[in-house]
Structure formats: C-alpha cells, structure tokens
Amino acid sequence: MSDDRDDKPWRARIEPLESEPRDLAAALAEIDVLLEIRAHREWVVEGLRAHVANVEGLLGEARERVDGLEGHTANLEDRLAQLERHAANLEGDRAGLEADRTELRAALAESERHVESLRLALEETRRHAAVVAKRLAQAEAQRAQGAAGAAGEPARLVPDEDVIRRQIDECREAHDEVGYYGAAEPGIDGQWRDLIWPAIERADFRSVLELAPGHGRNTAKLLEHAREIHLVDVNKSCIKACRKRFGDGTPSCRLHYHVNDGRSLAGIADASITFVYSWDAMVHFDKRVVREYVREFARVLAPGGTGFVHHSNFGTVSSSERWLENPSWRSNMTRELFADYCEEAGLEVVEQRLLDWFLEDLDCISTFRKPAR
C-alpha cells in the first residue's frame, strides 16, 4: 500500500473520488482505492495502537522507576535522619569527652599542686627537724649549765621580752637559707589565683608594705599592681635577694628596702601605707610578736587603708611558744587573738577565713582596715 509518487501520493489518488464515476470500470477502480485506503487506515491504526501500547508500557516502566526512586529517596531520607541523629550523638559524646578531659586536666593540675605541697611539706619537715635538733641540743646544754650553777633554786618564768627576742632569733635563723624560697616559689601562682587575689583585688595599691617577703615570690605579683612597695624583712639575706631580683622596681612601681628588728616598722612613716600585706611568713610569728606588728600596722596605715595577713591558728591546739616543735612551724597565734589585737590597736577586722594548710584550720587569713577620719 505504497505510492511511488513523492508529492502527496494519497491525495492524488483520492481527488478523482470527489467526482462522479464515469462508468462501471471507474467506479470499480474507485472502490479498489477506497478499500486500499481503508486497509491502509487500519494498518495505521494498528500501528498507532501498537505504538500507544509501547508508550504505555514505557510509561508503566517509568512509573515503576519513579516509584522505586521515591522509595529510594525515602530510604535515603531515613538514612540521612539516622546519620544526623548519629552526628548529634557523636557531638554530644565529643562534648562529654571534652568536659571529661577538662575535668581530668583540672584534677591533674590539682594533683600536681598537691604533690608540690607535699614536697614542700617534706622539705619543711626536714628543715624543722634539723633546727629542732639544734635547738634541743642548745636547750639541753643550757639546762645542764643552769642546773650546775643554780641547783635547788626555784624555776623562774621567762619574761615576754625574752620570748620575743628568742623567737625573732629563731625565725631569722630558720629562714636564712636559699633552698626554702626556691622550693616555695612554684606554689605562689595557685595560691595567688585561688586565695590571695580574690581577697585583695579591691585594695588601694598606691603604697604597699610587704612584711617578710623572703626572696620575693609575693613581691613579683604585687609589682603588677602597686605604685610603690616597702619590703621589710628581719633577714638581710632576704632583702639582698630581693634587691638583686627586682632592683629599684619597674617604671610603674618603685621599691624600697628595709631590714628591721623583727618586731617593728621603724623605717616606715606614720599614716603612709595604703595596704599592708604578708603571706606565708607571719604563720611562724609568736603571738607576742604579732601583737607588736599589729600595733605598728595601725601606726603606718593611712586612714581608710587596709591589710591582708596570713597567720597561724595553731594556738587553738597549743599555746606553747616552742613553735619549732609544732606542725609546719606554726606559732601559738589564733584567729580570736588577731581580732583582739586589731581591736586593741584601733583597727577593724573586715573578714577572717580559716585555712586548711596540711592540717584542718591550721591557719587563718585576716583582712582589716584602719577607720577613715
């Protein structure tokens, strides 16, 4: 059912049918053409039906693929949600591990500080033992000499003045060495951060008096805040060490050096100090010596000036003046005595905090002020 004419072959064959047939032969020819056209139409229709069927099959396959893709997409979305939950869990685990690591670091740092404290305590105990042994030998020799010269005489009470002088000499001798200060230096960072600075950060640092600076581990911290510092120590070796370490001070802080008699502040002018400071030194001072110094604090402090003193509280356990025989060389001072001495000298106690230092409530931190006029 093809036509060898290229230009609209079927149109050329249909056009003769639009007019009346001339004769029977023409009518039969027209019928043949019509039959052939119908057959061709049916062929075309069948071809279209087959094509539609193929298209419908392809559409069915496409629908199946779309359904499969939608199912796959849903699976991927579920998987993505699972991965996001897993990522959130991992982030939570990471945060927990970071918190654990921070806690472990803090615990390690605390352990290191504790080990350092124990090391310092061991060194201090060794020094204590050596000094105590020396003092016991001297006392035994004096006792033997006194027994030989004054047999049968009644025992006499030792005057306070003699106790003060002896304690000053003992304290000077016990701390006139380099090893202790080098061993104590590493501990000041943690002490300053946790105990000292929170208590003194609002002090007036224009003119500071630091009593018993040793080799300057506290001075190095005070230099960052003060405009001038008077360093007062009974040991010439300590003043020499501080002068060598700090010189005249910094461009923002002037240093003044004083060697005193162990009980007074004779080189300091009246009402010239805005802040009195002493850390890890007066814990060894006999209560009588502390009383002398508190009176001096009241003299040298300017009206409104404040003080920060770290002293012993071991006097609640023992009132003996034999401080070298006590734990960590703590003296017979107490929190209550310090408050009494302040009141007696006209100073006001602002706060007192008991401190565990190798033993529970072994020490006390006292802050005080001189009333403003």
Side-chain angles (χ1 to χ4, degrees):
M1 292 186 293
S2 63
D3 196 322
D4 55 2
R5 290 179 292 178
D6 295 332
D7 183 24
K8 299 180 181 179
W10 285 104
R11 183 65 182 168
R13 301 187 69 180
I14 293 173
E15 286 177 352
L17 298 178
E18 295 177 352
S19 59
E20 292 292 333
R22 297 184 299 274
D23 51 27
L24 180 59
L28 291 174
E30 290 178 2
I31 291 172
D32 288 339
V33 172
L34 292 171
L35 291 173
E36 188 174 353
I37 290 173
R38 187 178 70 176
H40 183 71
R41 185 191 66 183
E42 292 176 351
W43 176 77
V44 171
V45 169
E46 288 298 325
L48 291 173
R49 285 175 179 166
H51 184 64
V52 168
N54 289 334
V55 171
E56 289 177 346
L58 291 174
L59 287 174
E61 293 177 0
R63 290 191 186 97
E64 290 178 357
R65 294 191 65 184
V66 168
D67 292 341
L69 288 174
E70 289 178 348
H72 185 60
T73 300
N75 291 334
L76 288 178
E77 290 176 347
D78 290 341
R79 181 60 177 165
L80 179 59
Q82 292 175 1
L83 290 174
E84 288 176 346
R85 289 193 296 270
H86 185 59
N89 291 335
L90 289 177
E91 181 63 23
D93 292 343
R94 187 197 66 78
L97 289 174
E98 184 66 25
D100 291 343
R101 183 170 64 176
T102 301
E103 185 176 349
L104 288 174
R105 284 176 176 172
L108 178 59
E110 181 63 28
S111 297
E112 290 175 348
R113 289 193 293 270
H114 184 61
V115 169
E116 180 63 18
S117 296
L118 292 177
R119 185 180 67 81
L120 293 175
L122 178 59
E123 293 183 358
E124 189 174 6
T125 300
R126 289 171 175 169
R127 291 186 296 105
H128 291 181
V131 174
V132 169
K134 180 179 179 180
R135 288 297 177 184
L136 288 175
Q138 292 174 347
E140 185 62 29
Q142 292 174 355
R143 187 181 300 111
Q145 184 178 10
E153 292 186 6
R156 293 180 298 173
L157 294 177
V158 179
D160 284 354
E161 186 65 25
D162 291 343
V163 173
I164 292 173
R165 290 175 180 173
R166 185 186 66 199
Q167 207 267 346
I168 291 172
D169 291 340
E170 290 175 342
C171 199
R172 179 191 292 112
E173 181 179 341
H175 290 89
D176 191 15
E177 57 173 288
V178 177
Y180 166 74
Y181 299 107
E185 184 88 24
I188 188 60
D189 287 338
Q191 295 164 4
W192 182 271
R193 180 188 64 246
D194 299 333
L195 297 172
I196 301 172
W197 182 246
I200 70 171
E201 58 181 333
R202 296 186 179 181
D204 183 347
F205 292 97
R206 284 179 299 168
S207 181
V208 177
L209 165 68
E210 183 184 357
L211 180 61
H215 285 194
R217 66 185 187 276
N218 289 274
T219 311
K221 300 293 186 181
L222 293 170
L223 271 170
E224 300 176 7
H225 307 281
R227 289 170 56 180
E228 71 170 358
I229 305 175
H230 291 267
L231 303 180
V232 180
D233 203 296
V234 69
N235 278 347
K236 293 181 180 179
S237 60
C238 291
I239 293 299
K240 181 179 179 180
C242 287
R243 189 185 294 276
K244 180 179 179 181
R245 180 174 180 176
F246 302 115
D248 293 332
T250 67
S252 60
C253 182
R254 176 78 175 175
L255 290 181
H256 309 276
Y257 300 95
H258 310 268
V259 177
N260 75 335
D261 58 3
R263 61 192 295 180
S264 72
L265 303 172
I268 310 299
D270 294 355
S272 62
I273 300 298
T274 59
F275 181 53
V276 169
Y277 177 93
S278 183
W279 177 260
D280 197 22
M282 292 186 73
V283 290
H284 309 303
F285 295 2
D286 185 89
K287 60 186 179 182
R288 302 166 181 84
V289 176
V290 173
R291 186 180 187 182
E292 298 277 338
Y293 273 125
V294 170
R295 291 171 176 170
E296 285 288 84
F297 294 159
R299 178 182 66 81
V300 302
L301 272 175
T306 59
F308 173 87
V309 169
H310 172 209
H311 59 85
S312 172
N313 189 53
F314 189 71
T316 58
V317 177
S318 172
S319 61
S320 171
E321 68 272 9
R322 299 293 181 180
W323 63 285
L324 289 170
E325 301 173 10
N326 295 335
S328 299
W329 283 358
R330 267 22 182 197
S331 73
N332 51 12
M333 189 61 198
T334 69
R335 175 178 59 178
E336 292 77 15
L337 278 175
F338 193 90
D340 290 343
Y341 294 161
C342 284
E343 182 179 5
E344 177 184 83
L347 299 174
E348 298 175 352
V349 172
V350 176
E351 182 182 10
Q352 291 187 296
R353 176 184 175 184
L354 292 178
L355 183 65
D356 297 340
W357 197 290
F358 308 123
L359 294 176
E360 184 178 1
D361 295 344
L362 182 65
D363 293 347
C364 180
I365 300 173
S366 292
T367 55
F368 53 91
R369 65 185 296 271
K370 184 174 181 177
R373 292 174 182 171

